[in-house]
Amino acid sequence: MSAEVTLLGVRHHGPGSARAVAAALARLRPDAVLIEGPPEADAIVALAGDKQMKPPVALLAHVVDDPAKAAFWPFAVFSPEWAAIRHAVDHDLPVRFIDLPAAHTLALGDAPPGVPGGTSGGGPEASGDPIAALAAAAGHDDPERWWEDVIEHRAPGDDALAPFAAVAEAMAALREDAAGAGARAAAARRDDLREAYMRQQIRAARRAGHRRIAVVCGAWHVPALQTMPTVAHDRALLAGLPRLRTEITWVPWTHRRLSQHTGYGAGVDSPGWYHHLFTSPDRPITRWMTGVAELLRAEDHPVSSAHVIEAVRLADTLAAMRGRPLAGLGETLDAVRAVLCDGSDVTLALVHERLVVGDALGEVPEDAPAVPLQRDLARLQRTLRLKPEAAERELVLDLRKDLDAGRSRLLHRLRLLGIGWGTPSRSAVQSTGTFRETWRLRWEPEFAVRVVEAAHWGTTVEDAAADRAADRAAAAGDLADLTALVEQCLLAGLTGALPAVMRILADRAALDTDVAHLAAALPALVRALRYGDVRATDGSALEGVARGLAERISVGLPPACTGLDADGAAAMRAHLDAVHTAVGLLSPRHPAATGPDTAAAPGAPGDDPADRWAGALRALAAREPSAGPATGAPGLLRGRAVRLLLDDARLDSDEAGRRMGLVLSRAGAPADAAGWIEGFLAGGGALLLHDARLLGLLDDWLTGVPGDVLVDLLPVLRRTFSAMEAGVRRTIGERAAAGPLGRADTAAAGDPVLLDEARADAALPVLALLLGLPAAAAGPVAGPAAAPVPGPSPTLGLIPRQPDRRIG
C-alpha cells in the first residue's frame, strides 16, 4: 500500500496557520511529520519537548571554521512549524527537517531559507509577493489585512484540511503565471534546489515504511511537491553542491528580532499581537484591551474599566464599518489611540513597543549543544544572578560588594569580546567616586553568534577576554587605543593580560613623539589608576608610564601648539582640558593619585607633574603672535592656558586681568582676541561676575571693535556666551543693561544704587519725622555726584536671549 502524503502549505509565523496546522495534524494522526528546516537539526529537535524550552527560540547553524558565517531559523509559539514540532514530540512521532542542509546553504552564500518574512517561505524573490497577488485578485488593496481576515483571524472549521487545499490551488495558479511571465530568475535556482531536496526526503520517508506522512512547508513549495519528477532529475539538480562543515544548536530569540526585516529578523511586524491571538482562548480583543490598560496604569496614565469597555466597543464598531469579521490590529490600535491614549501618538508608541512588538525572550535547555565559552557564560550568569532579558533595563553596581564587582568584571570582559550585553551609562546619582557603575542591559539574539566567534580565544570568559586583549594590544593602531585597552583590562580584572599590554604600551610610548597622541592617551591611563582602591588592582606599573607621558607632554606642549589652524586649535583645546584633569589626579597633592597614605606628603616640587604642567601652560600663554608666525600660538589655546592657571591658583586675578588687557588692546588682532576670550571663558563664565574688572575689559573691547569686524567675530562670540550657564548669561545681561561695564560710576549687581543728591535731600525731613529725629539731624547726603543714567552696554546684544517664563 502506498504512503499517504498530506502537504500543509503555511505562511511562516502566523497564528491562524499555526492553529490550522494543529487541527489538521490532530485529524490526520500521521505517523511521521516532515518540516521545512535544516536537516542538521534532526538530532536536537527532541529538545523542543523539554520543559526548559520556551519560544521564541531559533536554530543556529554556523560554519565550524568560520563562526561568523551563520544562519538562524526562528520559531515563535505561533509559528506553524513549531506547532508541528510540538505535535510530533508530544505524540512521540518521528519528526524530520527536509529543507536544503545548512552545510549547502551557507556554502552557497544564500540567506537562511526559513527566515524570510515573505508570505509563504520562498518564491517572493522570484515572483513578487504571492499574498499581494491573491489579495489583488480578491479586490483588496491591503494584502496583510486580507490575509489576516482569511487565515490568521479564522478558527479551524469542520474540515481542517480545506484551507490548505484552497491555498495550494491558489499557489499553483500563481506559479503557472510566474513561469509564463518569465519571472523565475536567479532566486528561483535556490527554490529548485530546496524543492528537489524536499522531494528526496519525502521519498526517504516513504521508503522508511511510514504510511501517513504530514509535510509542513511554505505554501509556495506545495505545487512543486505535489507532482514528483523522476529521482534522476532531482539527483542531477543536487549533484556537485558545495558543502561546509557546520554545527547547529538552539538559541534564545526575541519578539523584537522577529519584527525586523533585515539581519536575523523574520519580518513579522506584530509578534506580540500574534502571540496574543494564538494564546488567547476567547475574547481576544477584550483581553488585549485589558493588557493595554494594565500597561498604561503602570506608566501612571489614568485608565479606568470604563475606558476598556468603550475601547472594545469602538474596535468592534470599526471592524463592522470596515467589513472585517474580527477587529484586527489596525482597528484595535485606532481604538486604543482614541480612548485609552487620548489621541496621543506618544502613548500609542509605548503600547506598540511593549505589546504589539513585545520584549519576550525565549529560553533553551541547559543540555542543548553549546561551545565551552557559552557554557561558562551561562554558569557566570547563574552565579552572578544576571539573567539575560530582551527589555532594556538599568543596572547600578556598588563595586564595594563582591557580587556587583563580579558583575562588573563579566560585563567588561564581554565588551572586550565584542559582546555588548551591557553599555556603560551615566548614573542619575551624581558622584565622583569610583565605586559606582551604571549599565544599560539588553540581550540580543545575535550575541549567540558572537559567543561562538569568540570561542577560539578561550574556553572561559576570563581566558578568552585575556587572549583577545593581548591580540588587540599587538594590533593597536595608536597610543590612545593602547591606554584605553589598559583601562579596559583593569576594569575587567584581567591581571594576567595586563603585563603583556603594558610592555607594548611602554614600547609604543617611547617611540611616539606626537604630543596630540600622548595627550589623548594619558587620561585613560590616569583614570585606570583610580580603580586600584575599589578593584584591588596593582597600579604601580601604570603610574610610571603615566608620569612619563605627563612629563613628555609638558615638554612638548608649547611647540606643538604653534601654527595650528582653527580645527587643530579646537582639538588641542580638548586635549588641554583632558590632560589638565589627568595631571591633577596624578599629582601627589591629590588624594586619588597614590592613595591616602602618600597624599598627605607634599613631595619634592620637582617631582610633581602638576608643577611641570603649570610651567608648560605658562610657556604656552606667553606665545603671543607678535613673536612671529613661527612661534605664535592661537588665541584659543593661550586664553585657555591662562584660565587653567587661574583656576589652579597659579595665577592671580590681577595678572589674568593684565593679560586680558594686553590681548584686548587695540594693538591686538580682533580675531585672535575673540579666540583668546573663547578659551578663557570655556567651561564657565561665572568668573566675570566675581571680577568686575575682567567684565569691564571685555565690555570696553567690544565697544571699540569696528562694526564690520564685529560681524565677522559674532559667531565666535555668540558661541562663547552660549556655552555659559543660563544664570550667568542672565546676570551679565542685567549688568550690561545697567550701563557701560567697568566704569566707576556703574553699580555692580548687589551694590548700593547711586542717588540724585537733590532728590535725596528733599526726602530727608520726612525720613527724620518717621524716625523721630530732630529736623537738624537730617543733613545733606554726602557722596559722589549723581551721574546721568547710562544707556545699555553693547555687550547686551551678544547675550542669547532667554524666554521670560513668567509670561502666561
mmCIF file with all atom_site columns, all heavy atoms in Angstrom, residues 93-113:
data_model
loop_
_atom_site.group_PDB
_atom_site.id
_atom_site.type_symbol
_atom_site.label_atom_id
_atom_site.label_alt_id
_atom_site.label_comp_id
_atom_site.label_asym_id
_atom_site.label_entity_id
_atom_site.label_seq_id
_atom_site.pdbx_PDB_ins_code
_atom_site.Cartn_x
_atom_site.Cartn_y
_atom_site.Cartn_z
_atom_site.occupancy
_atom_site.B_iso_or_equiv
_atom_site.pdbx_formal_charge
_atom_site.auth_seq_id
_atom_site.auth_comp_id
_atom_site.auth_asym_id
_atom_site.auth_atom_id
_atom_site.pdbx_PDB_model_num
ATOM 1   N N   . LEU A 1 93  ? 6.236  11.046 17.798 1.00 0.00 ? 93  LEU A N   1
ATOM 2   C CA  . LEU A 1 93  ? 6.273  10.717 16.378 1.00 0.00 ? 93  LEU A CA  1
ATOM 3   C C   . LEU A 1 93  ? 7.637  11.092 15.791 1.00 0.00 ? 93  LEU A C   1
ATOM 4   O O   . LEU A 1 93  ? 8.269  12.059 16.243 1.00 0.00 ? 93  LEU A O   1
ATOM 5   C CB  . LEU A 1 93  ? 5.174  11.474 15.618 1.00 0.00 ? 93  LEU A CB  1
ATOM 6   C CG  . LEU A 1 93  ? 3.731  11.215 16.038 1.00 0.00 ? 93  LEU A CG  1
ATOM 7   C CD1 . LEU A 1 93  ? 2.797  12.105 15.228 1.00 0.00 ? 93  LEU A CD1 1
ATOM 8   C CD2 . LEU A 1 93  ? 3.365  9.745  15.841 1.00 0.00 ? 93  LEU A CD2 1
ATOM 9   N N   . PRO A 1 94  ? 8.085  10.374 14.785 1.00 0.00 ? 94  PRO A N   1
ATOM 10  C CA  . PRO A 1 94  ? 9.312  10.794 14.094 1.00 0.00 ? 94  PRO A CA  1
ATOM 11  C C   . PRO A 1 94  ? 9.097  12.157 13.434 1.00 0.00 ? 94  PRO A C   1
ATOM 12  O O   . PRO A 1 94  ? 8.079  12.389 12.772 1.00 0.00 ? 94  PRO A O   1
ATOM 13  C CB  . PRO A 1 94  ? 9.524  9.701  13.046 1.00 0.00 ? 94  PRO A CB  1
ATOM 14  C CG  . PRO A 1 94  ? 8.695  8.543  13.501 1.00 0.00 ? 94  PRO A CG  1
ATOM 15  C CD  . PRO A 1 94  ? 7.533  9.121  14.241 1.00 0.00 ? 94  PRO A CD  1
ATOM 16  N N   . VAL A 1 95  ? 10.031 13.047 13.627 1.00 0.00 ? 95  VAL A N   1
ATOM 17  C CA  . VAL A 1 95  ? 9.962  14.374 13.029 1.00 0.00 ? 95  VAL A CA  1
ATOM 18  C C   . VAL A 1 95  ? 11.292 14.636 12.343 1.00 0.00 ? 95  VAL A C   1
ATOM 19  O O   . VAL A 1 95  ? 12.362 14.421 12.937 1.00 0.00 ? 95  VAL A O   1
ATOM 20  C CB  . VAL A 1 95  ? 9.613  15.459 14.071 1.00 0.00 ? 95  VAL A CB  1
ATOM 21  C CG1 . VAL A 1 95  ? 10.593 15.463 15.220 1.00 0.00 ? 95  VAL A CG1 1
ATOM 22  C CG2 . VAL A 1 95  ? 9.553  16.834 13.416 1.00 0.00 ? 95  VAL A CG2 1
ATOM 23  N N   . ARG A 1 96  ? 11.236 15.095 11.099 1.00 0.00 ? 96  ARG A N   1
ATOM 24  C CA  . ARG A 1 96  ? 12.454 15.337 10.323 1.00 0.00 ? 96  ARG A CA  1
ATOM 25  C C   . ARG A 1 96  ? 12.350 16.688 9.623  1.00 0.00 ? 96  ARG A C   1
ATOM 26  O O   . ARG A 1 96  ? 11.276 17.111 9.189  1.00 0.00 ? 96  ARG A O   1
ATOM 27  C CB  . ARG A 1 96  ? 12.637 14.248 9.253  1.00 0.00 ? 96  ARG A CB  1
ATOM 28  C CG  . ARG A 1 96  ? 12.798 12.831 9.800  1.00 0.00 ? 96  ARG A CG  1
ATOM 29  C CD  . ARG A 1 96  ? 14.153 12.652 10.472 1.00 0.00 ? 96  ARG A CD  1
ATOM 30  N NE  . ARG A 1 96  ? 14.311 11.275 10.936 1.00 0.00 ? 96  ARG A NE  1
ATOM 31  C CZ  . ARG A 1 96  ? 14.001 10.866 12.166 1.00 0.00 ? 96  ARG A CZ  1
ATOM 32  N NH1 . ARG A 1 96  ? 13.465 11.724 13.036 1.00 0.00 ? 96  ARG A NH1 1
ATOM 33  N NH2 . ARG A 1 96  ? 14.202 9.606  12.509 1.00 0.00 ? 96  ARG A NH2 1
ATOM 34  N N   . PHE A 1 97  ? 13.508 17.348 9.512  1.00 0.00 ? 97  PHE A N   1
ATOM 35  C CA  . PHE A 1 97  ? 13.592 18.576 8.724  1.00 0.00 ? 97  PHE A CA  1
ATOM 36  C C   . PHE A 1 97  ? 14.039 18.204 7.322  1.00 0.00 ? 97  PHE A C   1
ATOM 37  O O   . PHE A 1 97  ? 14.962 17.387 7.140  1.00 0.00 ? 97  PHE A O   1
ATOM 38  C CB  . PHE A 1 97  ? 14.580 19.558 9.364  1.00 0.00 ? 97  PHE A CB  1
ATOM 39  C CG  . PHE A 1 97  ? 14.067 20.176 10.637 1.00 0.00 ? 97  PHE A CG  1
ATOM 40  C CD1 . PHE A 1 97  ? 14.537 19.746 11.877 1.00 0.00 ? 97  PHE A CD1 1
ATOM 41  C CD2 . PHE A 1 97  ? 13.115 21.176 10.608 1.00 0.00 ? 97  PHE A CD2 1
ATOM 42  C CE1 . PHE A 1 97  ? 14.066 20.310 13.050 1.00 0.00 ? 97  PHE A CE1 1
ATOM 43  C CE2 . PHE A 1 97  ? 12.636 21.750 11.765 1.00 0.00 ? 97  PHE A CE2 1
ATOM 44  C CZ  . PHE A 1 97  ? 13.113 21.316 13.000 1.00 0.00 ? 97  PHE A CZ  1
ATOM 45  N N   . ILE A 1 98  ? 13.408 18.806 6.336  1.00 0.00 ? 98  ILE A N   1
ATOM 46  C CA  . ILE A 1 98  ? 13.603 18.334 4.956  1.00 0.00 ? 98  ILE A CA  1
ATOM 47  C C   . ILE A 1 98  ? 14.108 19.414 4.002  1.00 0.00 ? 98  ILE A C   1
ATOM 48  O O   . ILE A 1 98  ? 14.200 19.177 2.797  1.00 0.00 ? 98  ILE A O   1
ATOM 49  C CB  . ILE A 1 98  ? 12.280 17.762 4.407  1.00 0.00 ? 98  ILE A CB  1
ATOM 50  C CG1 . ILE A 1 98  ? 11.195 18.856 4.367  1.00 0.00 ? 98  ILE A CG1 1
ATOM 51  C CG2 . ILE A 1 98  ? 11.827 16.571 5.231  1.00 0.00 ? 98  ILE A CG2 1
ATOM 52  C CD1 . ILE A 1 98  ? 9.921  18.424 3.649  1.00 0.00 ? 98  ILE A CD1 1
ATOM 53  N N   . ASP A 1 99  ? 14.450 20.587 4.509  1.00 0.00 ? 99  ASP A N   1
ATOM 54  C CA  . ASP A 1 99  ? 14.929 21.642 3.609  1.00 0.00 ? 99  ASP A CA  1
ATOM 55  C C   . ASP A 1 99  ? 16.389 21.366 3.240  1.00 0.00 ? 99  ASP A C   1
ATOM 56  O O   . ASP A 1 99  ? 17.038 20.468 3.776  1.00 0.00 ? 99  ASP A O   1
ATOM 57  C CB  . ASP A 1 99  ? 14.796 23.007 4.295  1.00 0.00 ? 99  ASP A CB  1
ATOM 58  C CG  . ASP A 1 99  ? 14.653 24.138 3.290  1.00 0.00 ? 99  ASP A CG  1
ATOM 59  O OD1 . ASP A 1 99  ? 14.975 23.932 2.114  1.00 0.00 ? 99  ASP A OD1 1
ATOM 60  O OD2 . ASP A 1 99  ? 14.216 25.236 3.686  1.00 0.00 ? 99  ASP A OD2 1
ATOM 61  N N   . LEU A 1 100 ? 16.922 22.180 2.339  1.00 0.00 ? 100 LEU A N   1
ATOM 62  C CA  . LEU A 1 100 ? 18.315 22.046 1.936  1.00 0.00 ? 100 LEU A CA  1
ATOM 63  C C   . LEU A 1 100 ? 19.209 22.200 3.163  1.00 0.00 ? 100 LEU A C   1
ATOM 64  O O   . LEU A 1 100 ? 19.035 23.131 3.954  1.00 0.00 ? 100 LEU A O   1
ATOM 65  C CB  . LEU A 1 100 ? 18.649 23.117 0.893  1.00 0.00 ? 100 LEU A CB  1
ATOM 66  C CG  . LEU A 1 100 ? 19.966 22.961 0.127  1.00 0.00 ? 100 LEU A CG  1
ATOM 67  C CD1 . LEU A 1 100 ? 19.918 21.733 -0.770 1.00 0.00 ? 100 LEU A CD1 1
ATOM 68  C CD2 . LEU A 1 100 ? 20.239 24.222 -0.694 1.00 0.00 ? 100 LEU A CD2 1
ATOM 69  N N   . PRO A 1 101 ? 20.172 21.292 3.375  1.00 0.00 ? 101 PRO A N   1
ATOM 70  C CA  . PRO A 1 101 ? 21.014 21.370 4.581  1.00 0.00 ? 101 PRO A CA  1
ATOM 71  C C   . PRO A 1 101 ? 21.742 22.704 4.700  1.00 0.00 ? 101 PRO A C   1
ATOM 72  O O   . PRO A 1 101 ? 22.094 23.340 3.700  1.00 0.00 ? 101 PRO A O   1
ATOM 73  C CB  . PRO A 1 101 ? 21.997 20.201 4.395  1.00 0.00 ? 101 PRO A CB  1
ATOM 74  C CG  . PRO A 1 101 ? 21.289 19.244 3.498  1.00 0.00 ? 101 PRO A CG  1
ATOM 75  C CD  . PRO A 1 101 ? 20.479 20.095 2.570  1.00 0.00 ? 101 PRO A CD  1
ATOM 76  N N   . ALA A 1 102 ? 21.968 23.108 5.941  1.00 0.00 ? 102 ALA A N   1
ATOM 77  C CA  . ALA A 1 102 ? 22.707 24.345 6.186  1.00 0.00 ? 102 ALA A CA  1
ATOM 78  C C   . ALA A 1 102 ? 24.122 24.264 5.642  1.00 0.00 ? 102 ALA A C   1
ATOM 79  O O   . ALA A 1 102 ? 24.711 25.290 5.276  1.00 0.00 ? 102 ALA A O   1
ATOM 80  C CB  . ALA A 1 102 ? 22.735 24.640 7.686  1.00 0.00 ? 102 ALA A CB  1
ATOM 81  N N   . ALA A 1 103 ? 24.691 23.065 5.558  1.00 0.00 ? 103 ALA A N   1
ATOM 82  C CA  . ALA A 1 103 ? 26.031 22.913 5.003  1.00 0.00 ? 103 ALA A CA  1
ATOM 83  C C   . ALA A 1 103 ? 26.086 23.398 3.565  1.00 0.00 ? 103 ALA A C   1
ATOM 84  O O   . ALA A 1 103 ? 27.082 23.990 3.127  1.00 0.00 ? 103 ALA A O   1
ATOM 85  C CB  . ALA A 1 103 ? 26.454 21.438 5.076  1.00 0.00 ? 103 ALA A CB  1
ATOM 86  N N   . HIS A 1 104 ? 25.020 23.180 2.802  1.00 0.00 ? 104 HIS A N   1
ATOM 87  C CA  . HIS A 1 104 ? 24.961 23.669 1.424  1.00 0.00 ? 104 HIS A CA  1
ATOM 88  C C   . HIS A 1 104 ? 24.522 25.135 1.387  1.00 0.00 ? 104 HIS A C   1
ATOM 89  O O   . HIS A 1 104 ? 25.051 25.927 0.596  1.00 0.00 ? 104 HIS A O   1
ATOM 90  C CB  . HIS A 1 104 ? 23.964 22.825 0.614  1.00 0.00 ? 104 HIS A CB  1
ATOM 91  C CG  . HIS A 1 104 ? 24.365 21.394 0.468  1.00 0.00 ? 104 HIS A CG  1
ATOM 92  N ND1 . HIS A 1 104 ? 25.626 20.991 0.106  1.00 0.00 ? 104 HIS A ND1 1
ATOM 93  C CD2 . HIS A 1 104 ? 23.647 20.246 0.649  1.00 0.00 ? 104 HIS A CD2 1
ATOM 94  C CE1 . HIS A 1 104 ? 25.687 19.673 0.045  1.00 0.00 ? 104 HIS A CE1 1
ATOM 95  N NE2 . HIS A 1 104 ? 24.494 19.186 0.377  1.00 0.00 ? 104 HIS A NE2 1
ATOM 96  N N   . THR A 1 105 ? 23.534 25.464 2.209  1.00 0.00 ? 105 THR A N   1
ATOM 97  C CA  . THR A 1 105 ? 23.003 26.829 2.197  1.00 0.00 ? 105 THR A CA  1
ATOM 98  C C   . THR A 1 105 ? 24.095 27.851 2.496  1.00 0.00 ? 105 THR A C   1
ATOM 99  O O   . THR A 1 105 ? 24.233 28.880 1.816  1.00 0.00 ? 105 THR A O   1
ATOM 100 C CB  . THR A 1 105 ? 21.872 26.971 3.223  1.00 0.00 ? 105 THR A CB  1
ATOM 101 O OG1 . THR A 1 105 ? 20.838 26.036 2.919  1.00 0.00 ? 105 THR A OG1 1
ATOM 102 C CG2 . THR A 1 105 ? 21.307 28.372 3.205  1.00 0.00 ? 105 THR A CG2 1
ATOM 103 N N   . LEU A 1 106 ? 24.912 27.583 3.529  1.00 0.00 ? 106 LEU A N   1
ATOM 104 C CA  . LEU A 1 106 ? 25.966 28.522 3.899  1.00 0.00 ? 106 LEU A CA  1
ATOM 105 C C   . LEU A 1 106 ? 27.096 28.518 2.878  1.00 0.00 ? 106 LEU A C   1
ATOM 106 O O   . LEU A 1 106 ? 27.730 29.554 2.654  1.00 0.00 ? 106 LEU A O   1
ATOM 107 C CB  . LEU A 1 106 ? 26.499 28.169 5.289  1.00 0.00 ? 106 LEU A CB  1
ATOM 108 C CG  . LEU A 1 106 ? 25.488 28.339 6.436  1.00 0.00 ? 106 LEU A CG  1
ATOM 109 C CD1 . LEU A 1 106 ? 26.069 27.840 7.751  1.00 0.00 ? 106 LEU A CD1 1
ATOM 110 C CD2 . LEU A 1 106 ? 25.076 29.804 6.569  1.00 0.00 ? 106 LEU A CD2 1
ATOM 111 N N   . ALA A 1 107 ? 27.354 27.371 2.264  1.00 0.00 ? 107 ALA A N   1
ATOM 112 C CA  . ALA A 1 107 ? 28.393 27.326 1.235  1.00 0.00 ? 107 ALA A CA  1
ATOM 113 C C   . ALA A 1 107 ? 27.984 28.097 -0.014 1.00 0.00 ? 107 ALA A C   1
ATOM 114 O O   . ALA A 1 107 ? 28.814 28.713 -0.682 1.00 0.00 ? 107 ALA A O   1
ATOM 115 C CB  . ALA A 1 107 ? 28.688 25.870 0.870  1.00 0.00 ? 107 ALA A CB  1
ATOM 116 N N   . LEU A 1 108 ? 26.668 28.068 -0.317 1.00 0.00 ? 108 LEU A N   1
ATOM 117 C CA  . LEU A 1 108 ? 26.174 28.818 -1.474 1.00 0.00 ? 108 LEU A CA  1
ATOM 118 C C   . LEU A 1 108 ? 26.072 30.309 -1.208 1.00 0.00 ? 108 LEU A C   1
ATOM 119 O O   . LEU A 1 108 ? 25.882 31.097 -2.134 1.00 0.00 ? 108 LEU A O   1
ATOM 120 C CB  . LEU A 1 108 ? 24.796 28.274 -1.892 1.00 0.00 ? 108 LEU A CB  1
ATOM 121 C CG  . LEU A 1 108 ? 24.776 26.856 -2.463 1.00 0.00 ? 108 LEU A CG  1
ATOM 122 C CD1 . LEU A 1 108 ? 23.341 26.361 -2.611 1.00 0.00 ? 108 LEU A CD1 1
ATOM 123 C CD2 . LEU A 1 108 ? 25.488 26.827 -3.810 1.00 0.00 ? 108 LEU A CD2 1
ATOM 124 N N   . GLY A 1 109 ? 26.132 30.686 0.096  1.00 0.00 ? 109 GLY A N   1
ATOM 125 C CA  . GLY A 1 109 ? 26.028 32.104 0.441  1.00 0.00 ? 109 GLY A CA  1
ATOM 126 C C   . GLY A 1 109 ? 24.634 32.625 0.410  1.00 0.00 ? 109 GLY A C   1
ATOM 127 O O   . GLY A 1 109 ? 24.407 33.839 0.368  1.00 0.00 ? 109 GLY A O   1
ATOM 128 N N   . ASP A 1 110 ? 23.627 31.757 0.449  1.00 0.00 ? 110 ASP A N   1
ATOM 129 C CA  . ASP A 1 110 ? 22.231 32.196 0.414  1.00 0.00 ? 110 ASP A CA  1
ATOM 130 C C   . ASP A 1 110 ? 21.775 32.594 1.794  1.00 0.00 ? 110 ASP A C   1
ATOM 131 O O   . ASP A 1 110 ? 22.342 32.209 2.813  1.00 0.00 ? 110 ASP A O   1
ATOM 132 C CB  . ASP A 1 110 ? 21.323 31.070 -0.089 1.00 0.00 ? 110 ASP A CB  1
ATOM 133 C CG  . ASP A 1 110 ? 21.549 30.799 -1.572 1.00 0.00 ? 110 ASP A CG  1
ATOM 134 O OD1 . ASP A 1 110 ? 22.070 31.702 -2.240 1.00 0.00 ? 110 ASP A OD1 1
ATOM 135 O OD2 . ASP A 1 110 ? 21.209 29.691 -2.016 1.00 0.00 ? 110 ASP A OD2 1
ATOM 136 N N   . ALA A 1 111 ? 20.671 33.363 1.824  1.00 0.00 ? 111 ALA A N   1
ATOM 137 C CA  . ALA A 1 111 ? 20.024 33.685 3.091  1.00 0.00 ? 111 ALA A CA  1
ATOM 138 C C   . ALA A 1 111 ? 19.376 32.429 3.640  1.00 0.00 ? 111 ALA A C   1
ATOM 139 O O   . ALA A 1 111 ? 19.023 31.522 2.900  1.00 0.00 ? 111 ALA A O   1
ATOM 140 C CB  . ALA A 1 111 ? 18.981 34.779 2.896  1.00 0.00 ? 111 ALA A CB  1
ATOM 141 N N   . PRO A 1 112 ? 19.224 32.343 4.960  1.00 0.00 ? 112 PRO A N   1
ATOM 142 C CA  . PRO A 1 112 ? 18.560 31.183 5.548  1.00 0.00 ? 112 PRO A CA  1
ATOM 143 C C   . PRO A 1 112 ? 17.174 31.012 4.961  1.00 0.00 ? 112 PRO A C   1
ATOM 144 O O   . PRO A 1 112 ? 16.378 31.942 4.953  1.00 0.00 ? 112 PRO A O   1
ATOM 145 C CB  . PRO A 1 112 ? 18.489 31.527 7.034  1.00 0.00 ? 112 PRO A CB  1
ATOM 146 C CG  . PRO A 1 112 ? 19.535 32.560 7.233  1.00 0.00 ? 112 PRO A CG  1
ATOM 147 C CD  . PRO A 1 112 ? 19.635 33.302 5.949  1.00 0.00 ? 112 PRO A CD  1
ATOM 148 N N   . PRO A 1 113 ? 16.850 29.841 4.439  1.00 0.00 ? 113 PRO A N   1
ATOM 149 C CA  . PRO A 1 113 ? 15.571 29.674 3.766  1.00 0.00 ? 113 PRO A CA  1
ATOM 150 C C   . PRO A 1 113 ? 14.385 29.779 4.677  1.00 0.00 ? 113 PRO A C   1
ATOM 151 O O   . PRO A 1 113 ? 13.288 30.056 4.221  1.00 0.00 ? 113 PRO A O   1
ATOM 152 C CB  . PRO A 1 113 ? 15.673 28.259 3.178  1.00 0.00 ? 113 PRO A CB  1
ATOM 153 C CG  . PRO A 1 113 ? 16.727 27.577 3.972  1.00 0.00 ? 113 PRO A CG  1
ATOM 154 C CD  . PRO A 1 113 ? 17.690 28.634 4.386  1.00 0.00 ? 113 PRO A CD  1
#
